[in-house]
Amino acid sequence: MSLSSTETQLMQQQFTGVFEAQLLQELSQVGKFMEVEAGTVLMHAGGYIRSVPILLSGSIKILRSDADGREALLYYLGAKDSCAMSLTCCLNHKQSEITAIVDEKSKLILVPIDKIEEWMGKYRSWKQYVFSTYQQRFDDLLVAIDQIAFHKLDERLLLLLKRKSEQYNCQVFNVTHEELGNELATSREVISRLLKQLEKMGKVKLARNRIELL
C-alpha cells in the first residue's frame, strides 16, 4: 500500500535533495508509514527483520542484551536516521542482535527487505545513505566503547543525560532511574545514588521521574 499524500509530503520534506526523485517516488509506493508511541518495542533480539525503518521524526534507542537479559544502550536514532544493525541483518538474512524501543513518539517509514539490496545497485543516493548510516553508527559505537573503557559511571551518566537533552532538544525530560540503569547496564539504586551526587554538585535538578540538566 502506497503512502498517503500527507505521508509522502512529510517524507519528501526530509529526503528531497538526499534521494533522487525516482527513489522518492518508489519509496512512497512501497514504503509503509507508521506512527508509534513512546515505549513501543519495534524489534526484539532474536527475531527476523522483515523491513528496515527510516525515521522521519522522533527518537528510537537501540539496545544490546546479554544472556541474563541485562541491556546496554548502543545508540539513538533521530530524524533521517536508519539502523545499521537492521540493514546488516536484512542483507545477510540474519536474526536481529539488538532491541529497538521508541524513546519518544515517532513517525517512520518501513522499507521492505527485498528493496534494500535492489536499491543498492539501482540508486547511488541509496548506496551513499546506507554507507553513511554504517559510518554514523560505527562512530556511535566507538563513543559507547570509549565511555565504558575510559569514563567512570558517574561521568557516563552525565554524558547520557547530555545526550538525551540533545536528542529531545530540551533541558527537562521525563525518564525513570530504572530506564537509565538499563541503558547503562547497572541497577536503579546505583543510578539514584549517582543522581543525588550530581544534584549536590549542581549538575542536575531532580523531581519524580523527571530530570532537569543544569
Side-chain angles (χ1 to χ4, degrees):
M1 183 176 179
S2 60
L3 304 183
S4 69
S5 57
T6 302
E7 294 162 357
T8 298
Q9 185 178 16
L10 178 59
M11 183 264 292
Q12 289 176 338
Q13 287 174 353
Q14 292 286 15
F15 288 101
T16 295
V18 178
F19 294 153
E20 297 103 326
Q22 189 177 350
L23 175 54
L24 287 173
Q25 182 179 2
E26 193 167 349
L27 186 56
S28 69
Q29 292 171 344
V30 302
K32 179 183 177 182
F33 180 84
M34 285 185 67
E35 188 167 1
V36 284
E37 299 293 332
T40 302
V41 179
L42 289 177
M43 193 183 304
H44 288 280
Y48 283 96
I49 298 171
R50 305 302 177 189
S51 55
V52 171
I54 296 179
L55 206 55
L56 299 178
S57 65
S59 173
I60 296 173
K61 57 185 177 183
I62 306 299
L63 305 165
R64 169 79 169 171
S65 304
D66 67 7
D68 297 322
R70 293 176 300 182
E71 296 177 327
L73 177 69
L74 296 182
Y75 50 79
Y76 283 100
L77 302 179
K80 296 186 180 181
D81 284 342
S82 188
C83 178
M85 299 290 190
S86 301
L87 289 165
T88 299
C89 290
C90 277
L91 291 171
N92 294 299
H93 307 288
K94 294 173 56 181
Q95 289 176 292
S96 171
E97 298 180 351
I98 53 92
T99 299
I101 301 176
V102 179
D103 202 42
E104 59 177 329
K105 188 174 181 179
S106 301
K107 296 178 181 179
L108 53 93
I109 294 177
L110 297 177
V111 180
I113 185 172
D114 60 304
K115 292 295 180 181
I116 304 301
E117 189 169 3
E118 177 188 328
W119 288 351
M120 288 287 285
K122 190 175 180 180
Y123 298 112
R124 183 177 180 180
S125 65
W126 178 255
K127 182 187 289 187
Q128 291 175 334
Y129 178 75
V130 170
F131 287 163
S132 176
T133 295
Y134 281 136
Q135 183 62 55
Q136 181 60 54
R137 301 293 80 85
F138 180 73
D139 292 343
D140 289 338
L141 290 175
L142 285 181
V143 170
I145 292 170
D146 285 347
Q147 288 182 12
I148 293 171
F150 304 119
H151 294 276
K152 294 185 292 184
L153 190 54
D154 58 341
E155 295 173 326
R156 290 172 56 203
L157 175 57
L158 190 56
L159 287 170
L160 176 60
L161 295 177
K162 290 179 179 178
R163 200 172 175 184
K164 284 183 176 294
S165 177
E166 293 173 358
Q167 192 75 30
Y168 299 145
N169 195 29
C170 65
Q171 298 297 108
V172 181
F173 40 87
N174 297 319
V175 62
T176 67
H177 296 186
E178 185 174 4
E179 288 174 42
L180 293 172
N182 289 339
E183 293 182 18
L184 291 175
T186 188
S187 69
R188 176 181 59 80
E189 291 77 14
V190 169
I191 293 297
S192 297
R193 176 172 55 81
L194 292 176
L195 283 172
K196 288 177 181 177
Q197 292 179 5
L198 291 175
E199 187 174 39
K200 289 179 181 178
M201 296 166 61
K203 302 288 186 181
V204 300
K205 184 177 180 180
L206 304 177
R208 183 174 179 80
N209 294 340
R210 191 180 74 173
I211 297 175
E212 180 179 358
L213 189 62
L214 303 177

